[in-house]
Every structure is written in C-alpha cells, then in structure tokens.
Amino acid sequence: MKSFLTVLLMGSALFSSAAWAEPDYKALALSVAEGQVIPGYQRFTDAAAALGRQAEGFCAAPDAEKLEPLRQGYHGVMDAWQGVQHVSFGPVEAFSRGQRVQFWPDKKNASDRQMGQLLKSRNDSILEGGRFTFASVAVQGLPALEYLLFGEQAERLLDGEDSAFRCRLVSAIAHNLTGIGQELSEDWTKPGGFRDGIATAGEPSSPYASAAEAASQMFNALHTQVEALADVKLAYPMGDSPEQARTIRLESWRSARSARNLAVNIEALNAFYAGGGGQGFSRALVAEGRADLDERLRAALERALAKTRALEGPMETVMATPEGWTQLDAIRADLKEASTLLGAEIAPALNIRIGFNALDGD
Amino acid sequence: MHSMVIDRRRFLVLAAAAGLPLKGAHAAEGPVFLSARSDAAGQHVFAAFDHQGAKVFEIDLPGRGHGIALSPDKSIAVMMARRPGSFAVAAHLPSGRELGWLTAPPDRHFHGHAAFSGDGRLLFTSENDFENDGRGVIGIWDSATWRRVGEIPSYGIEPHDIRMRPDGRTLVVANGGIRTHPGYGRAKLNIEDMDSSLVHLDSRTGALLGQWRLDESLRLLSMRHLALFGQDGVALACQHQGGEDEAVPLVGFQHGSGALALVDQPADWAGQTANYAGSICVDRSGRLAAASCPRGNRVGFWDTASKRFLGSVKIPDGCGVAAGAGAGEIVMSSGLGGAWTWSESGETAELPGRYLRSGRWDNHLLALL
C-alpha cells in the first residue's frame, strides 16, 4: 500500500510538471480577447467612422477625384472587418450584427436583387431615423457598399438622377457600420461586458460555466474560420477545375480583393492563435510539451499566407487560369492541413472540446 | 441490417464507378427526416432527407435553425430559429415549398421550439419577453396567414421546448429558467435565482393546469427538452448549470397529473456527458426513450416503463434523435456529419449517402412516420 501511495505521489508530482498541467484557460482566453478581438473591433469602428466622414464630404459635392479615396475608405473598413470575421461568438451574435455587417455567402444573390429594387424605388423612408438598422441585412452592410462603390453603375454616384439617393445610402451604410462597431466594442469592454464575462467564467453572471468553455469557444471559432477559408472562400468558387471556377462566388469579386481578404484573415488568425503578449493558444501548446504541433500549425498558415501574397494578380483574374487555379488549390491544401491539425491533434492536446452541438448550450 | 447497409453502399460505389445512373436508387419509401443543417459554405438550411440519406429538400435560413413543429395532418413543418432568434419558416410537406415566414415582434425573441394546436390552425411558439425580466410567453400564430394573433404566459422564465398533448389542447412547456437578453448574446443572467419548471397549460384559455419544480438540491438543473409518448407520458431532458463533476440525473418522466421523477443513470454518466443532454425522443412503441449528450459524444437509452437505463452508444457530437420506422428503433444525427440508426437488438448502422456526411446536423431531428 505504501509503495502504491509513493508511486501515486510521484505520479502526481510528474503530472503537475509543465507537461501535464491544464492550460491556464482564463489567461489564455483573456489574452486572445484583449490582444486580438477587442483591438480588432476598435479598428473596425474607427475605419467605419472615417468612411462616414469621407462619405459626407463626398456627398456634399460629388467629384470624380474623390471617388477613388472613397473606395480606399471602403477597403479600410473591409480590411478591419476581415480581421475580426472569425469572431463568431459573443456580442456579434446578438441582433444579427454579424450578418448586418456582411451578409455572405449570399448564394441566392439577395444583395444584388434587393439593391436593384431599392435603387429603383429610391425608398428614402428606410434611411430615416433608426429605421435603416431594421432594413434587410442584404442592403445595410459591406456587400451593399461594395455594390454602390464598385458595381457597374458606380459612376452614377457622381451624376445621374439617382446620385443623391446613392450617396445617402453610402452614408447610411457607413454610419450603420460605425454604430454596429461601437456596440460591439462597448459590449465587449463595458463593465460586466463580454470581456468581464470571460474574466469571471464560472460565476453566475458569466455566460461561461468555466474558462475552459470560453477557450473552447475561441478555439472553435479559429478552427471554423480555417475550415471556411478552405471550403467557402476557395473550394466553393474554384469548383473542380479552372473551367468550373465561378468568379461571382468569390467573397469580394466586385472590388477584386478576395485574395486580400484571405491574407488579412490568415494574419488575423495568427494573431488570434498567438494571443496578446504571446499568452494564447500557441504558448499553451508549447507548455503542454507539444511545440511540434505548434510549429506545424504555424508553418501551414505561413505557407498559405506566403502563397496568397505571391499570387500574380487578384484572385478574380487568376482563378480561371490553369496556373492560378493550381496555386489557389495549394493554398487550400495548406489550410486544410491546418484545419485537420487543429481538429485532430491540437484540440485534444489542449483538452479542448470541439463540436457543433457540444458547444451549443441549448 | 448492418451488412445490408454496407452492401447497398458498395453497390452505390460500384454503380458510380461503372457510370450507371443512380436515379431511382433513392426511391423514398420509409420515413423522411427533418433537421436544421449547416453546410460547408456556411449556409444554414432547413433540410429534409430520406432514410437512404438522400436530400429531399432544403430551405435557406438566415441563421441557425433549431426545433421543428409538425402539423397534426403532417402537411406542414415549421423550422424555428435557434435562440435568441427572430425568424421561423413554414414549409409544405413533403415538397418543401415555403408557405410563409414568421418574424418575432421587436420586443420578443424565439426560443427555438413550437407546437401546433390539435386542429392545426394555430402555432404556439416559446418566446422571451426580454424587456420584462425575461418573462416567458407563448406566442400564438395563425397558420393560414402566419401572423401573430396573441400570446399567453408560460408561467416561468425561458420557455424552451413546447409540445401539444394528444388532446390537441394541453400544452406541455419546459421553462428552462435561465434569463437571457439579446443585448448580452446567450449570456445567462440569473443562475443565482434560476427557476426551471415543467408546466401544463390550457392553450385555449392560457390557464395553468399544473406546474412541477425539481428539489431545491437540483435547482441548477434546467429542464429544456421534451418528448411526449402514449396517452399522457412526458419524457424530459435536462442540462446542469452547476459543476460538471457533480453527478445529477439528466432524464425524467411525468405522467398525467402525476409527480415528476428523475431517473437512474450509471454512476459515471454525469462525468461522461458533462451533465448536458441536448435532445430527447421516444421510439414508435413508446417503450424506449433516447437522450443525446453531445458533450460526451453519447446517446443514452431508457425504458419508459421501468425507468431503467438500458445502455448507450457513442456518436461523435451526436445531438439529433428521432424515432425510427420500427418499434425500438432510434435515428441519431451528428454535428460533425453523419446519421445512424440504432435498434433495440443492439445494432448501430450508419445511414448511407454523401449528403449526410457532408453537413453539420443541428440539435434536433424529427421523423415523419
């Protein structure tokens, strides 16, 4: 018996050494929130507010020279949103905020159809007061803005009988995005907000029963986004061959920035994975003695990013060429590898729960 | 059974390899199943598939779906949004034609479940009156116009699952007891004063007919999902809001106006399942209840008469459970893709077809028998 106990105690001493300690999920989740999510939402809010000011200036006196800077303003907002697109949990889930910012994928082309109808009707009343917030998600976010700024009829912002209405719509969308950004930032950072909910995981006021649950939700957001980049942003528009490639299935085909979206996404996932001050998933994995997995994941993401940056032209043009298609397929394969690593090896190593229904809470 | 399925799959593979037309291979005799699904493109749909795994129809949804209500004549199914949601869609069966959309009033949101009145003319939806401390209400909708025509109280907080008894008039409601507000996403705002209850109410008058609460020691157990069986049986599945290491029962039964009793489970069940059951169903004979526990990747089975635990099967992220075509048969779906049939004789066989494997099957499954 005594020797058994000794063995047990020795065992527990071993278990408490670095290789077997449970990750500090609270520190991990907070570092991800504070290092990536909260600053990301702030950048989005700032970019949308800047676009709003620009739109007002533009609309006061529409001018061809100001159209390009306005388009750059859109790129700024889109860059910022792509940096937090993977955050599928928390305040973004409430009031359809995520969909209102970017209704996508839009398989049935609701955005185009509804934008066409709206422009035809010039229904001013939906822009009044707070009503725009309740308009169709297909007309109040980034795809609608892209339609106005980069669509076939973008020049009609300058002159044309409906230029004033188009301008008001650009402004309304920019203000709407700013408002949503402010709500997101505030709901994360206010006292008792979502950040505090993570900090107090396990207490009754927290949405999380444990810090491990918060970390799991973040991990699942990471895993889901890696999968979505491979399946939705690449495989879906690519089809099975260059002949099957469909440009309009790309996320931002009108503004020809789908590759830029992908690069921003991968950079954001890297930052999310690393967490603020390097206290995120990467460090936890190394602390679990699995630096090998950490290296393999970072290498796969790094390869995907380098290949995305090396594309010779926008995805919208290269995808239908045999060479370009093959390059995109290689990026897809790297992302698939990262996704498999996350699901099959890294999640168990961090003792993190993955699954669709397991995390549901219903 | 098992080998037959494999043979069929092998046939399909061979047929595909030989370039044979597969049309007709999916002649849908046997039950059709309804569930919310999310596909690889991030699209959420209301999906129907047959017992051979072939897609019957899909309706695009603006967000994740949850529970499904079936009209008494089985000609209409309504897919509710996952909470806190504001949409629901009614579909004609078996065509999948959209009959209408329901939109929650601005000061209410749906809690994911609904039930039809006995004559099929009204639909009752579980809802949250979130500006009034999360008072639970049951919305009443006209199934001819899909307009909201009234509401009655649920006599609790957070009504979740809701079922119509065979009398066509008495509603059984599981008040989960957890207050949420859309401004805080899905955050639970009142664990300290959680109040879960099972309620029977008269859907015509709104009168409370009976209410059951669990012992004080089980105050943190949230009763959330229901299945009705026989003339007056209610099976319920719970989720524990306390520690995952406390062993609490997750399944209970209640008959007529009798007492509510939670039932036995193996000693390690709580630990294996993280004290979380996601869905419950009763087989066609009414003798067998199945409760899914996706956090433990298990579905457990109970005898509804003896209340004994019969055993479990491992289904990764398995949550949807529905009665199969035969007595003692249960069909289960997974959030990681795939669906399986389990029969009392102890066999588990995967339903064939790429469609089932290629999507994430959400919380609930309903069989059209």
Side-chain angles (χ1 to χ4, degrees):
Chain A
M1 182 66 194
K2 193 180 173 195
S3 63
F4 178 61
L5 252 183
T6 315
V7 170
L8 251 186
L9 285 172
M10 278 175 57
S12 66
L14 272 177
F15 285 135
S16 64
S17 73
W20 279 92
E22 277 263 288
D24 181 348
Y25 293 117
K26 186 167 286 183
L28 189 167
L30 281 174
S31 92
V32 173
E34 289 165 357
Q36 208 275 331
V37 179
I38 292 171
Y41 280 138
Q42 193 54 54
R43 269 195 294 279
F44 172 69
T45 311
D46 294 346
L51 179 71
R53 288 189 295 275
Q54 242 183 326
E56 270 165 30
F58 177 89
C59 293
D63 172 347
E65 282 188 7
K66 285 193 263 176
L67 184 54
E68 196 45 41
L70 193 61
R71 286 175 171 157
Q72 291 307 319
Y74 158 83
H75 283 304
V77 183
M78 193 59 161
D79 280 343
W81 178 250
Q82 294 293 324
V84 287
Q85 191 188 42
H86 58 279
V87 184
S88 52
F89 55 91
V92 74
E93 285 189 276
F95 303 112
S96 309
R97 283 173 180 144
Q99 292 204 315
R100 282 161 58 211
V101 173
Q102 188 193 15
F103 179 62
W104 190 81
D106 178 7
K107 281 188 175 170
K108 295 206 170 151
N109 227 358
S111 271
D112 282 18
R113 210 163 2 99
Q114 295 189 16
M115 284 301 286
Q117 284 163 3
L118 181 57
L119 290 171
K120 203 169 155 196
S121 72
R122 291 181 217 171
N123 180 5
D124 268 285
S125 66
I126 75 157
L127 304 178
E128 277 156 22
R131 289 189 60 189
F132 195 52
T133 305
F134 297 102
S136 161
V137 294
V139 304
Q140 57 168 302
L142 287 161
L145 196 55
E146 187 192 31
Y147 180 100
L148 291 164
L149 295 176
F150 297 88
E152 277 171 18
Q153 301 180 326
E155 303 295 322
R156 286 171 66 169
L157 274 167
L158 298 167
D159 48 32
E161 46 172 350
D162 61 353
S163 70
F165 180 66
R166 284 171 181 262
C167 235
R168 286 191 62 195
L169 203 48
V170 169
S171 253
I173 296 169
H175 289 301
N176 185 47
L177 295 173
T178 310
I180 297 171
Q182 283 165 345
E183 289 168 22
L184 289 169
S185 290
E186 205 183 301
D187 283 358
W188 268 86
T189 55
K190 69 186 174 192
F194 209 75
R195 182 225 160 269
D196 286 358
I198 295 170
T200 57
E203 289 174 31
S205 61
S206 169
Y208 295 111
S210 65
E213 203 177 288
S216 287
Q217 187 154 56
M218 289 175 155
F219 187 90
N220 270 266
L222 169 71
H223 184 212
T224 304
Q225 175 79 335
V226 174
E227 219 169 42
L229 299 187
D231 291 347
V232 191
K233 297 202 179 187
L234 290 169
Y236 173 59
M238 285 169 67
D240 291 331
S241 67
E243 294 75 39
Q244 282 185 17
R246 297 266 302 274
T247 309
I248 62 161
R249 289 185 170 179
L250 287 168
E251 187 180 20
S252 298
W253 62 273
R254 279 205 171 91
S255 51
R257 54 160 293 146
S258 301
R260 179 163 160 182
N261 291 351
L262 191 62
V264 175
N265 294 147
I266 299 171
E267 285 170 345
L269 290 176
N270 270 325
F272 189 82
Y273 174 73
Q279 299 291 307
F281 294 103
S282 175
R283 183 174 174 272
L285 202 51
V286 173
E288 293 296 303
R290 297 309 306 269
D292 58 323
L293 291 177
D294 176 61
E295 270 162 34
R296 279 165 63 198
L297 178 75
R298 286 191 293 124
L301 291 176
E302 207 46 60
R303 281 198 304 278
L305 182 58
K307 287 174 194 167
T308 305
R309 287 187 177 138
L311 288 173
E312 289 168 7
M315 207 185 283
E316 287 72 13
T317 45
V318 303
M319 187 170 69
T321 69
E323 206 177 55
W325 194 92
T326 308
Q327 286 164 343
L328 291 175
D329 200 42
I331 301 171
R332 192 194 55 76
D334 289 331
L335 291 168
K336 269 288 176 204
E337 186 188 324
S339 163
T340 306
L341 260 174
L342 282 164
E345 301 198 53
I346 297 178
L350 292 175
N351 196 15
I352 268 174
R353 187 179 283 153
I354 63 165
F356 189 54
N357 294 309
L359 289 164
D360 192 62
D362 255 329
Chain B
M1 172 86 195
H2 195 87
S3 61
M4 198 189 87
V5 170
I6 288 170
D7 285 344
R8 210 191 99 75
R9 293 184 76 188
R10 191 177 300 144
F11 162 71
L12 288 176
V13 170
L14 290 173
L20 293 174
L22 290 176
K23 211 172 168 194
H26 290 304
E29 25 179 288
V32 165
F33 298 91
L34 307 176
S35 177
R37 162 190 166 107
S38 298
D39 69 17
Q43 176 69 55
H44 308 291
V45 298
F46 173 7
F49 59 87
D50 67 23
H51 69 297
Q52 296 179 337
K55 176 168 86 178
V56 175
F57 68 76
E58 275 187 2
I59 298 173
D60 285 359
L61 301 175
R64 267 174 80 173
H66 192 72
I68 307 127
L70 185 63
S71 67
D73 66 359
K74 300 180 185 175
S75 69
I76 304 173
V78 176
M79 169 63 71
M80 301 300 297
R82 174 181 183 241
R83 82 180 163 88
S86 52
F87 69 86
V89 63
H92 171 262
L93 296 176
S95 70
R97 183 165 44 88
E98 290 172 31
L99 297 174
W101 287 81
L102 288 72
T103 304
D107 52 351
R108 299 280 184 278
H109 63 66
F110 293 139
H111 266 163
H113 290 270
F116 277 91
S117 60
D119 60 7
R121 286 159 77 171
L122 298 174
L123 182 78
F124 299 95
T125 52
S126 56
E127 298 178 3
N128 181 5
D129 176 5
F130 55 81
E131 299 300 2
N132 285 306
D133 279 342
R135 185 178 68 98
V137 297
I138 306 299
I140 307 173
W141 303 72
D142 182 333
S143 71
T145 60
W146 305 110
R147 283 176 200 276
R148 205 166 188 285
V149 293
E151 67 180 32
I152 49 180
S154 82
Y155 301 96
I157 285 171
E158 203 212 359
H160 194 72
D161 207 345
I162 169 172
R163 305 277 164 168
M164 182 62 73
R165 291 188 60 156
D167 66 9
R169 175 166 180 170
T170 308
L171 278 172
V172 182
V173 181
N175 284 309
I178 302 169
R179 194 186 313 136
T180 60
H181 188 285
Y184 296 85
R186 293 158 62 83
K188 300 156 187 166
L189 303 175
N190 70 327
I191 297 300
E192 67 280 13
D193 56 356
M194 230 186 91
D195 179 22
S196 180
S197 64
L198 177 72
V199 158
H200 290 184
L201 55 85
D202 184 334
S203 65
R204 292 190 202 162
T205 63
L208 179 66
L209 304 175
Q211 186 160 29
W212 293 260
R213 288 186 168 82
L214 299 169
D215 287 351
E216 177 58 24
S217 63
L218 295 171
R219 197 179 50 81
L220 296 181
L221 199 54
S222 174
M223 296 185 269
R224 310 185 69 76
H225 288 111
L226 303 169
L228 303 192
F229 61 98
Q231 269 313 296
D232 64 358
V234 178
L236 64 137
C238 306
Q239 294 170 11
H240 187 45
Q241 303 299 321
E244 285 185 10
D245 40 6
E246 289 169 52
V248 295
L250 298 178
V251 169
F253 294 99
Q254 191 266 329
H255 285 270
S257 54
L260 163 63
L262 296 178
V263 299
D264 275 353
Q265 60 191 26
D268 58 352
W269 189 250
Q272 277 185 33
T273 61
N275 279 326
Y276 181 99
S279 193
I280 189 162
C281 76
V282 174
D283 84 315
R284 214 170 177 180
S285 72
R287 286 184 293 109
L288 189 80
S292 58
C293 298
R295 294 187 175 175
N297 303 311
R298 285 195 169 274
V299 175
F301 305 99
W302 282 261
D303 184 316
T304 58
S306 71
K307 319 285 190 258
R308 268 187 26 242
F309 180 81
L310 300 173
S312 69
V313 291
K314 215 167 158 74
I315 301 288
D317 202 36
C319 201
V321 284
E329 211 172 276
I330 302 285
V331 178
M332 307 163 288
S333 61
S334 162
L336 302 174
W340 292 261
T341 305
W342 177 88
S343 65
E344 220 171 356
S345 55
E347 290 203 53
T348 307
E350 184 172 359
L351 271 68
R354 200 175 140 189
Y355 181 65
L356 291 180
R357 281 276 183 98
S358 67
R360 293 166 172 269
W361 296 98
D362 219 318
N363 236 114
H364 298 294
L365 187 66
L366 186 140
L368 293 173
L369 296 173

